[in-house]
């Protein structure tokens, strides 16, 4: 459910015609719908009504301050994977005791930052990290709240790059080693063992893998409790998929029910870390057609957004629907939609049936709210694009388009070259 709709063949975001924004700020830009973001959080949270839970939005899907502030104000928590995300989260107003910290490579300065801030818990991914967090907590005279991220070895049936819960993945600690790892943690002086964590992957479109993972974890929690550990949190991670093309992921309620049905009076607080499902379909990327070109075997639509702006098609071969911002052309062609970058991998769509758009037309790359702007880069010295949020019949630029000066900020020519 989102608020990008056509009225009389003109694409609107809520009550604002997308073309009006383009004519005021230029292209390309990311465009987010406030109403959609809010609705997605509220529906997700409500699906777990009756269960003691904390929804921690997974910041890395989209870390714009406006989006973080919106979720913080709705009572959401935050899942972070870096010191930078902790900084952004605190700045946007998240209470530290609603922040969980995942990731395989936490540096000392990042651990110290999180200990000083007083986050809810670290999701620890290795024994080395466990020892490091214990050491830092000792030095800072703090107690470190932790969960261990368990790799439940379930196949999430998603793209290999977004599967994170298989034995061969770098994430978490293997299920067999889990009990021993908790025993090791129990011997460390500065840790409070509070939870069990997992995150099995992203863009998962079936409920089964979540249930399989949860079944493994509930056995583990029972064993930990009988070993006298006071486990209070079960963190199920994120990963629920969205519809980009014709996927049919479980509804929020089906997903929630699948999890709730396995919880069985466990007397735990459930933590959930949704990312994509909250923001993915709340954003689009708006780009202008620069040129048309008929190659020997293909038609090309050359647009002003490239793989540096939206990496998902290149990185994962991901599908994004591409719709005309003004739906006035009747003819349909088959074409590759490509960007200006000097790489053959620079495409937004391949062999796509699309309206017969012309130079100057605007296109909307749909479902671009998650892992869009956050994965963008300055490759080919392209300034990062603007981000805009619509609220009803108004819009605000929530991240200014970068300038050429921004491109060289921080670069210096050393004295020996002067
Ligand atoms: C990326 C990530 C998430 C969010 O994943 P989505 O597929 O966007 O829901 C949640 N938890 C952890 C630990 C992550 O790394």
């Amino acid at each position: 459910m989102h608020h990008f709709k056509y009225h009389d063949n003109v694409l609107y975001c809520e009550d604002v015609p997308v073309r009006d924004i383009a004519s005021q700020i230029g292209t390309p830009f990311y465009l987010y719908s406030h109403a959609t973001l809010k609705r997605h959080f509220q529906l997700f949270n409500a699906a777990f009504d009756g269960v003691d839970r904390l929804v921690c939005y997974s910041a890395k899907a989209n870390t714009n301050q406006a989006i973080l502030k919106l979720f913080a104000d709705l009572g959401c928590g935050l899942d972070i994977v870096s010191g930078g995300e902790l900084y952004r989260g605190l700045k946007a107003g998240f209470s530290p005791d609603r922040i969980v910290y995942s990731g395989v490579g936490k540096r000392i300065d990042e651990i110290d930052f999180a200990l000083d801030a007083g986050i809810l818990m670290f999701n620890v991914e290795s024994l080395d990290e466990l020892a490091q967090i214990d050491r830092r907590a000792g030095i800072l005279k703090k107690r470190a709240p932790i969960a261990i991220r368990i790799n439940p070895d379930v196949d999430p049936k998603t793209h290999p790059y977004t599967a994170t819960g298989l034995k061969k993945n770098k994430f978490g600690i293997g299920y067999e080693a889990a009990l021993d790892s908790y025993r090791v943690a129990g011997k460390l002086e500065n840790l409070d063992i509070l939870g069990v964590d997992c995150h099995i992957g992203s863009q998962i479109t079936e409920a089964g893998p979540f249930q399989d993972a949860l079944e493994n974890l509930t056995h583990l929690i029972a064993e930990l409790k009988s070993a006298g550990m006071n486990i209070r949190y079960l963190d199920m991670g994120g990963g629920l998929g969205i519809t980009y093309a014709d996927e049919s992921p479980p509804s929020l309620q089906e997903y929630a029910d699948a999890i709730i049905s396995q919880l069985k009076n466990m007397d735990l607080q459930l933590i959930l870390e949704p990312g994509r499902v909250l923001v993915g379909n709340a954003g689009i990327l708006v780009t202008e057609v620069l040129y048309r070109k008929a190659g020997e075997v293909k038609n090309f639509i050359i647009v002003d957004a490239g793989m540096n702006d939206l990496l998902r098609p290149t990185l994962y071969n991901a599908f994004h629907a591409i719709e005309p911002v003004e739906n006035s052309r009747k003819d349909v062609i088959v074409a590759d939609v490509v960007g200006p970058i000097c790489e053959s991998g620079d495409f937004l769509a391949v062999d796509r049936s699309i309206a017969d758009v012309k130079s100057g037309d605007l296109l909307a790359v749909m479902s671009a709210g998650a892992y869009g702007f956050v994965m963008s880069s300055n490759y080919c010295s392209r300034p990062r694009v603007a981000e805009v949020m619509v609220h009803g019949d108004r819009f605000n630029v929530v991240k200014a388009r970068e300038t050429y000066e921004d491109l060289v900020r921080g670069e210096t020519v050393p004295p020996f070259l002067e």
Side-chain angles (χ1 to χ4, degrees):
M1 269 304 294
H2 58 71
H3 289 79
F4 297 92
K5 296 263 153 55
Y6 285 98
H7 301 293
D8 295 328
N9 286 324
V10 173
L11 183 65
Y12 279 67
C13 175
E14 302 188 23
D15 301 326
V16 181
V18 172
R19 65 178 178 204
D20 289 4
I21 304 172
S23 64
Q24 286 189 46
I25 72 154
T27 56
F29 60 94
Y30 279 93
L31 179 59
Y32 310 122
S33 155
H34 174 271
T36 309
L37 291 161
K38 185 172 171 185
R39 182 179 155 82
H40 284 177
F41 170 75
Q42 287 174 333
L43 287 177
F44 189 98
N45 193 35
F48 290 89
D49 266 350
V51 175
D52 182 14
R53 83 291 191 184
L54 177 62
V55 177
C56 292
Y57 166 60
S58 183
K60 76 178 191 291
N62 190 322
T63 41
N64 186 282
Q65 283 289 293
I67 290 179
L68 294 186
K69 174 78 162 57
L70 163 62
F71 286 145
D73 288 351
L74 291 170
C76 190
L78 196 66
D79 166 48
I80 59 165
V81 294
S82 70
E85 287 186 354
L86 178 54
Y87 174 82
R88 286 178 181 275
L90 294 173
K91 196 172 162 66
F94 284 95
S95 165
D97 62 5
R98 298 169 91 81
I99 298 179
V100 293
Y101 186 179
S102 312
V104 294
K106 303 178 186 80
R107 284 194 317 254
I108 286 177
D109 61 300
E110 295 176 308
I111 292 168
D112 288 359
F113 184 17
L115 284 169
D116 278 333
I119 63 166
L120 176 59
M121 66 184 187
F122 292 89
N123 288 333
V124 180
E125 306 221 13
S126 65
L127 292 181
D128 273 4
E129 184 195 332
L130 204 58
Q132 181 75 287
I133 292 176
D134 177 63
R135 202 174 308 133
R136 297 313 302 175
I139 289 168
L140 297 180
K141 303 200 169 23
K142 308 248 182 205
R143 298 203 57 78
I146 64 121
I148 295 181
R149 176 166 173 179
I150 305 303
N151 185 335
D153 196 32
V154 298
D155 185 357
K157 305 195 180 75
T158 181
H159 188 283
Y161 289 5
T162 56
T164 56
L166 291 165
K167 279 187 179 165
K168 64 180 179 186
N169 297 131
K170 70 177 176 180
F171 299 98
I173 287 178
Y175 183 67
E176 289 78 15
L179 207 52
D180 281 344
S181 305
Y182 274 94
R183 287 205 186 97
V184 170
K187 296 205 177 84
L188 296 174
E189 281 183 4
N190 308 301
L191 303 182
D192 286 332
I193 303 169
L194 296 187
V196 172
D197 168 54
C198 74
H199 170 67
I200 57 173
S202 199
Q203 186 51 17
I204 298 168
T205 52
E206 297 169 33
F210 295 108
Q211 277 180 307
D212 295 346
L214 188 48
E215 203 181 312
N216 288 346
L217 294 193
T218 49
H219 289 304
L220 174 65
I221 291 171
E223 288 188 72
L224 294 174
K225 284 192 169 177
S226 64
M229 288 187 202
N230 181 19
I231 301 295
R232 281 154 47 194
Y233 300 104
L234 167 58
D235 185 337
M236 276 303 293
L240 182 58
I242 62 170
T243 302
Y244 286 100
D246 51 8
E247 305 93 334
S248 44
S251 71
L252 295 176
Q253 201 59 61
E254 285 164 346
Y255 165 78
D257 289 347
I259 290 175
I260 295 167
S261 67
Q262 302 249 342
L263 278 179
K264 307 177 191 103
N265 313 322
M266 285 216 305
D267 194 24
L268 292 167
Q269 185 174 51
L270 182 64
I271 295 177
L272 301 142
E273 302 173 349
R276 186 190 315 268
V277 72
L278 298 188
V279 296
N281 279 321
I284 64 174
L285 172 64
V286 180
T287 182
E288 183 179 317
V289 177
L290 296 175
Y291 304 108
R292 283 279 303 272
K293 172 156 116 171
E296 299 231 335
V297 293
K298 273 179 184 273
N299 290 311
F300 294 102
I301 297 171
I302 302 163
V303 299
D304 67 356
M307 63 184 277
N308 72 298
D309 303 307
L310 179 63
L311 187 59
R312 300 191 66 260
T314 305
L315 184 61
Y316 310 120
N317 224 351
F319 178 98
H320 285 267
I322 300 183
E323 309 288 354
V325 167
E326 286 177 79
N327 202 358
S328 53
R329 311 228 182 249
K330 297 280 172 292
D331 295 340
V332 170
I333 59 165
V334 174
D336 286 9
V337 181
V338 302
I341 302 270
C342 313
E343 303 267 352
S344 292
D346 177 29
F347 54 81
L348 299 176
V350 174
D351 293 332
R352 185 69 61 84
S353 288
I354 188 165
D356 187 16
V357 289
K358 301 283 187 278
S359 171
D361 285 4
L362 298 172
L363 291 173
V365 183
M366 309 305 288
S367 312
Y371 308 106
F373 184 86
V374 286
M375 281 191 179
S376 66
S377 78
N378 289 124
Y379 186 38
C380 293
S381 284
R382 289 166 48 79
R384 258 176 280 237
V385 306
E387 293 175 283
V388 176
M389 187 179 284
V390 164
H391 183 213
D393 58 5
R394 286 168 296 143
F395 73 89
N396 290 89
V397 174
V398 293
K399 171 103 167 61
R401 187 181 306 286
E402 286 181 349
T403 63
Y404 289 153
E405 297 88 81
D406 291 330
L407 293 177
V408 291
R409 177 154 305 130
E411 294 183 19
T412 43
V413 174
F416 64 84
L417 288 177
E418 276 170 359

